[in-house]
């Protein structure tokens, strides 16, 4: 079946640093979505990407849909403490497939 | 973004009883809703796809008689965990896609923490 490999699994950074995480797949996806999940809450959509090569920003967040349609990355610039949480990528070919998540910790 | 509301946010029940979880799309109609299960520190696992007016489609390994899904209207889907046991304890999350986005985007409910004692 389709699988997404998300890395890194966890990150411990200092406030103000930039963050980068990515997802790769052996399958092609039509859509890439990036979510953030806080403890005890459902995922919240951050960025949606619909076209290969598309680069989209949402505030300090930037995400790109890879040219091959098999990968995507998410960058967070100038991290702040409230960026703490688990970030998931998700690819849609038919169903929505989730990556394993990247747990982000930000030290003030 | 679209709003999906899930209720209750947490529930504790005795082993052998049944628990119903509701998922509502508040500001849009959703012909399709999805139910996920999430264990601590793990990703979301799709359990089933709920289709308005028809039977749900279950993923491999998910017992349809154990996890009953009803999608009676364009804004409401329910998941009933029947004869719950401690191993059913988990975080259950629903999502819905707006038809005008052809289900491209998925918006999630707040999740329900089920604890079976």
């Amino acid at each position: 079946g389709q699988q997404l490999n998300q890395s890194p699994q966890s990150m411990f950074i200092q406030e103000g640093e930039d963050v980068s995480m990515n997802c790769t797949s052996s399958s092609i996806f039509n859509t890439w979505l990036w979510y953030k999940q806080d403890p005890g809450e459902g995922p919240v959509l951050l960025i949606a990407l619909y076209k290969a090569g598309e680069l989209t920003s949402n505030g300090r967040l930037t995400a790109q849909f890879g040219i091959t349609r098999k990968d995507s990355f998410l960058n967070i610039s100038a991290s702040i403490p409230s960026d703490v949480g688990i970030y998931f990528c998700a690819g849609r070919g038919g169903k929505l497939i989730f990556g394993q998540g990247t747990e982000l910790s930000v030290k003030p | 973004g679209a709003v999906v509301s899930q209720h209750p946010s947490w529930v504790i029940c005795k082993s052998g009883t049944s628990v119903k979880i509701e998922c509502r799309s508040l500001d849009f109609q959703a012909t399709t809703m999805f139910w996920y299960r999430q264990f601590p520190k793990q990703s979301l696992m799709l359990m089933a796809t709920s289709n308005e007016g028809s039977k749900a489609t279950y993923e491999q390994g998910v017992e349809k008689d154990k996890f009953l899904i009803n999608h009676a209207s364009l804004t409401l889907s329910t998941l009933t965990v029947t004869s719950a046991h401690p191993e059913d304890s988990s975080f259950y999350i629903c999502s819905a896609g707006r038809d005008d986005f052809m289900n491209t985007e998925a918006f999630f409910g707040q999740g329900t923490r089920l604890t079976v004692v």
Side-chain angles (χ1 to χ4, degrees):
Chain A
Q2 293 177 312
Q3 288 186 333
L4 290 184
N5 294 312
Q6 185 172 349
S7 64
Q9 272 191 310
S10 60
M11 302 182 74
F12 297 86
I13 63 170
Q14 198 77 30
E15 182 178 1
E17 291 183 352
D18 296 342
V19 172
S20 184
M21 59 192 78
N22 69 85
C23 277
T24 59
S25 170
S26 57
S27 305
I28 289 175
F29 287 105
N30 299 321
T31 303
W32 281 94
L33 306 171
W34 284 92
Y35 291 89
K36 183 190 178 202
Q37 186 178 29
D38 291 327
E41 300 286 334
V44 174
L45 182 64
L46 299 174
I47 292 180
L49 302 161
Y50 303 107
K51 295 180 183 178
E54 180 181 353
L55 183 71
T56 297
S57 293
N58 178 7
R60 294 179 294 106
L61 278 61
T62 301
Q64 184 159 31
F65 191 148
I67 291 290
T68 65
R69 294 167 64 192
K70 293 183 178 182
D71 63 303
S72 177
F73 72 74
L74 173 71
N75 287 342
I76 306 173
S77 63
S79 58
I80 58 178
S82 61
D83 290 334
V84 166
I86 301 178
Y87 292 79
F88 289 100
C89 63
R92 183 184 294 286
K95 302 171 187 174
L96 197 59
I97 308 295
F98 281 84
Q100 303 95 327
T102 296
E103 185 171 10
L104 178 63
S105 301
V106 180
K107 185 178 180 181
Chain B
V3 179
V4 176
S5 178
Q6 193 171 335
H7 178 81
S9 56
W10 60 270
V11 58
I12 301 173
C13 71
K14 289 185 177 180
S15 188
T17 61
S18 295
V19 173
K20 181 184 284 187
I21 303 170
E22 293 186 347
C23 181
R24 295 180 184 272
S25 56
L26 297 186
D27 55 354
F28 66 102
Q29 293 183 332
T31 54
T32 306
M33 291 185 176
F34 305 88
W35 288 95
Y36 295 83
R37 184 172 181 176
Q38 186 179 31
F39 292 104
K41 301 288 186 180
Q42 294 191 21
S43 188
L44 284 76
M45 181 188 76
L46 180 64
M47 298 174 64
T49 302
S50 172
N51 304 297
E52 188 268 336
S54 65
K55 291 182 179 180
T57 304
Y58 290 82
E59 295 300 301
Q60 191 172 8
V62 179
E63 299 176 61
K64 61 181 180 181
D65 295 329
K66 173 76 171 176
F67 300 100
L68 299 179
I69 291 173
N70 183 279
H71 195 150
S73 77
L74 287 172
T75 59
L76 174 64
S77 175
T78 61
L79 168 68
T80 301
V81 183
T82 62
S83 187
H85 291 286
E87 58 266 29
D88 297 324
S89 299
S90 190
F91 194 54
Y92 293 88
I93 314 173
C94 69
S95 77
R98 293 174 61 152
D99 289 345
D100 54 347
F101 287 101
M102 297 180 290
N103 288 325
T104 299
E105 295 182 7
F107 300 95
F108 287 83
Q110 306 95 318
T112 297
R113 170 74 59 194
L114 170 63
T115 302
V116 184
V117 297

